[in-house]
Amino acid sequence: MTDIYSNVQMIKERVDASAKKTGRELSDITIVAVSKTVGADAVAHAQEAGIRNFGENRVQEYLKKREVFKDTVNWHIIGPLQRNKVKYILDGVCLLHSLDRLSLAQEIQTQCEKNGTDISALVQLNIGREPTKSGIYEENLERFLEELSVMRRIRVCGLMAIPPMVQDADDNRPYFQKMRTLFEKFREAYPCMTYLSMGMSDDFEAAIEEGSNVVRIGTAVFGARSN
């Protein structure tokens, strides 16, 4: 098995070094280990190495792992969310990273009202305007935030983006910079916006240097996966 403990320690060192370039440190950055498709044993190894936040793409897989780990870790849903799956994430998910359309927000609001609960969410942007990716375009962000502002059960805690896949992480810096500009602009109007989620295994250092405070790291923690 991949040496998860060593991987996590190396990631922490790299995160800390990148954070220090911006006057921050490791504790200012949330590392979300993307645990999709890996088994509970691998999650347990990452937990033992000090990881407290885990990200899942599929609700069904999240539910299975939550049965094992309960609330000993913080669970994040980072993939596209279908409306018919909303009711399953209200109890136990600390942050939804992929709020990307009004119909989904309306369903979340309805289900939260039914269950007497709230949810914290990030608005996902399609910052590279890629047709195969989810997320709203930047010119629609202001209106979307206004629509969300009347949904009292949804706490909009920040923004998330997955920039285009590139050979060199530095090629994504313009996208990261654009995301930070949007984040800082709207944080003034929405004080609860505290998270800027961007950066994955191949580019998290560049993302942190450009302002990210949440990174979603899978391969660098658990090794390459077949799906």
Side-chain angles (χ1 to χ4, degrees), residues 138-139 141-143 145 159 177-191 193:
E138 60 183 289
E139 63 266 25
L141 177 57
E142 184 169 11
R143 180 177 177 182
L145 289 172
L159 306 177
Q177 291 164 359
K178 188 178 291 186
M179 284 295 299
R180 181 176 182 176
T181 297
L182 291 168
F183 175 67
E184 291 179 344
K185 173 184 176 181
F186 290 104
R187 185 166 53 172
E188 295 179 7
Y190 301 91
M193 290 182 66

Coordinates of all heavy atoms in Angstrom, one line a residue, residues 138-139 141-143 145 159 177-191 193:
E138 N -18.4 33.4 -14.2 CA -18.1 34.5 -13.3 C -19.1 35.6 -13.5 O -19.5 36.3 -12.5 CB -16.7 35.0 -13.5 CG -16.3 35.5 -14.8 CD -14.9 35.9 -14.9 OE1 -14.5 36.9 -14.4 OE2 -14.1 35.2 -15.6
E139 N -19.6 35.9 -14.7 CA -20.5 37.0 -14.9 C -21.9 36.7 -14.3 O -22.7 37.7 -14.1 CB -20.6 37.3 -16.4 CG -21.3 36.2 -17.2 CD -20.2 35.3 -17.8 OE1 -19.1 35.2 -17.3 OE2 -20.5 34.7 -18.9
L141 N -22.1 35.2 -11.2 CA -21.9 35.0 -9.8 C -22.7 36.0 -8.9 O -23.3 35.6 -7.9 CB -20.4 35.1 -9.4 CG -20.0 34.9 -8.0 CD1 -20.5 33.6 -7.4 CD2 -18.5 35.1 -7.8
E142 N -22.7 37.2 -9.2 CA -23.3 38.2 -8.4 C -24.8 37.9 -8.3 O -25.4 37.9 -7.2 CB -23.1 39.6 -9.0 CG -23.7 40.7 -8.1 CD -23.3 42.1 -8.5 OE1 -22.7 42.3 -9.6 OE2 -23.5 43.1 -7.7
R143 N -25.5 37.6 -9.4 CA -26.9 37.3 -9.4 C -27.2 36.1 -8.6 O -28.1 36.0 -7.8 CB -27.4 37.2 -10.8 CG -28.9 36.9 -10.9 CD -29.4 36.8 -12.3 NE -30.8 36.5 -12.3 CZ -31.5 36.3 -13.4 NH1 -31.0 36.4 -14.6 NH2 -32.8 35.9 -13.4
L145 N -25.4 34.8 -6.1 CA -25.3 35.1 -4.7 C -26.5 35.8 -4.2 O -26.9 35.6 -3.0 CB -24.0 35.9 -4.4 CG -22.7 35.1 -4.6 CD1 -21.5 36.0 -4.5 CD2 -22.6 34.0 -3.6
L159 N -16.1 30.2 -2.2 CA -16.1 29.8 -3.6 C -15.2 28.6 -3.9 O -14.2 28.4 -3.1 CB -15.6 31.0 -4.5 CG -16.3 32.3 -4.3 CD1 -15.7 33.4 -5.2 CD2 -17.8 32.2 -4.6
Q177 N -5.8 33.5 -9.7 CA -5.8 35.0 -9.4 C -7.2 35.6 -9.6 O -7.7 36.4 -8.9 CB -4.8 35.7 -10.3 CG -3.3 35.4 -9.9 CD -2.3 35.8 -10.9 OE1 -2.7 36.3 -12.0 NE2 -1.0 35.5 -10.7
K178 N -7.8 35.1 -10.7 CA -9.2 35.6 -11.0 C -10.1 35.1 -9.9 O -11.0 35.9 -9.5 CB -9.6 35.0 -12.3 CG -11.0 35.6 -12.8 CD -11.3 35.0 -14.2 CE -10.4 35.5 -15.3 NZ -10.8 35.1 -16.6
M179 N -10.0 33.9 -9.4 CA -10.8 33.4 -8.3 C -10.6 34.2 -7.0 O -11.6 34.6 -6.3 CB -10.5 31.9 -8.0 CG -11.1 31.0 -9.1 SD -12.9 31.0 -9.1 CE -13.3 30.4 -7.4
R180 N -9.4 34.6 -6.7 CA -9.1 35.3 -5.5 C -9.7 36.7 -5.7 O -10.3 37.3 -4.7 CB -7.6 35.5 -5.3 CG -7.3 36.2 -4.0 CD -5.8 36.3 -3.7 NE -5.6 37.0 -2.5 CZ -4.4 37.2 -1.9 NH1 -3.3 36.6 -2.5 NH2 -4.2 37.8 -0.8
T181 N -9.6 37.3 -6.8 CA -10.2 38.6 -7.0 C -11.8 38.6 -6.8 O -12.3 39.5 -6.1 CB -10.0 39.1 -8.5 OG1 -8.6 39.3 -8.6 CG2 -10.6 40.5 -8.7
L182 N -12.4 37.6 -7.3 CA -13.9 37.4 -7.1 C -14.2 37.2 -5.6 O -15.1 37.8 -5.1 CB -14.4 36.3 -7.9 CG -14.4 36.5 -9.5 CD1 -14.7 35.2 -10.2 CD2 -15.4 37.5 -9.9
F183 N -13.4 36.3 -5.0 CA -13.6 36.0 -3.6 C -13.5 37.3 -2.7 O -14.3 37.5 -1.9 CB -12.5 35.0 -3.2 CG -12.5 34.6 -1.7 CD1 -13.6 34.0 -1.1 CD2 -11.4 35.0 -0.9 CE1 -13.6 33.6 0.2 CE2 -11.4 34.7 0.4 CZ -12.5 34.0 1.0
E184 N -12.4 38.1 -3.0 CA -12.3 39.3 -2.2 C -13.3 40.3 -2.5 O -13.8 41.0 -1.6 CB -10.9 39.9 -2.4 CG -9.8 39.0 -1.9 CD -8.4 39.5 -2.1 OE1 -8.2 40.4 -3.0 OE2 -7.4 39.0 -1.5
K185 N -13.8 40.4 -3.7 CA -14.8 41.3 -4.1 C -16.1 41.0 -3.3 O -16.7 41.9 -2.7 CB -15.1 41.3 -5.6 CG -16.3 42.1 -6.0 CD -16.5 41.9 -7.5 CE -17.8 42.7 -8.0 NZ -18.0 42.5 -9.4
F186 N -16.5 39.8 -3.3 CA -17.8 39.4 -2.8 C -17.8 39.2 -1.3 O -18.8 39.2 -0.6 CB -18.5 38.2 -3.5 CG -18.9 38.6 -4.9 CD1 -18.2 38.2 -6.0 CD2 -20.0 39.4 -5.1 CE1 -18.5 38.6 -7.3 CE2 -20.4 39.7 -6.4 CZ -19.7 39.3 -7.5
R187 N -16.6 39.0 -0.7 CA -16.5 38.8 0.7 C -16.9 40.0 1.4 O -17.4 40.0 2.6 CB -15.0 38.4 1.1 CG -14.9 38.1 2.5 CD -13.6 37.4 2.8 NE -12.4 38.1 2.3 CZ -11.1 37.7 2.5 NH1 -10.9 36.7 3.2 NH2 -10.1 38.4 2.0
E188 N -16.7 41.2 0.8 CA -17.1 42.5 1.4 C -18.6 42.5 1.6 O -19.1 43.0 2.6 CB -16.7 43.6 0.6 CG -15.1 43.8 0.5 CD -14.7 44.9 -0.4 OE1 -15.6 45.7 -0.8 OE2 -13.5 45.1 -0.6
A189 N -19.4 42.0 0.7 CA -20.8 42.0 0.8 C -21.4 40.8 1.5 O -22.5 40.9 2.1 CB -21.4 42.0 -0.6
Y190 N -20.6 39.7 1.6 CA -21.1 38.5 2.3 C -20.0 38.1 3.3 O -19.1 37.3 2.9 CB -21.3 37.4 1.2 CG -22.4 37.7 0.2 CD1 -22.0 38.3 -1.0 CD2 -23.7 37.5 0.4 CE1 -22.9 38.7 -2.0 CE2 -24.7 37.9 -0.5 CZ -24.3 38.4 -1.7 OH -25.2 38.8 -2.7
P191 N -20.1 38.6 4.5 CA -19.0 38.4 5.5 C -18.7 37.0 5.8 O -17.7 36.6 6.3 CB -19.5 39.2 6.7 CG -20.5 40.2 6.1 CD -21.1 39.5 5.0
M193 N -18.3 34.6 3.9 CA -17.5 33.9 2.9 C -16.0 33.9 3.4 O -15.4 34.9 3.4 CB -17.6 34.7 1.6 CG -18.9 34.5 0.9 SD -19.0 35.3 -0.8 CE -17.8 34.3 -1.7

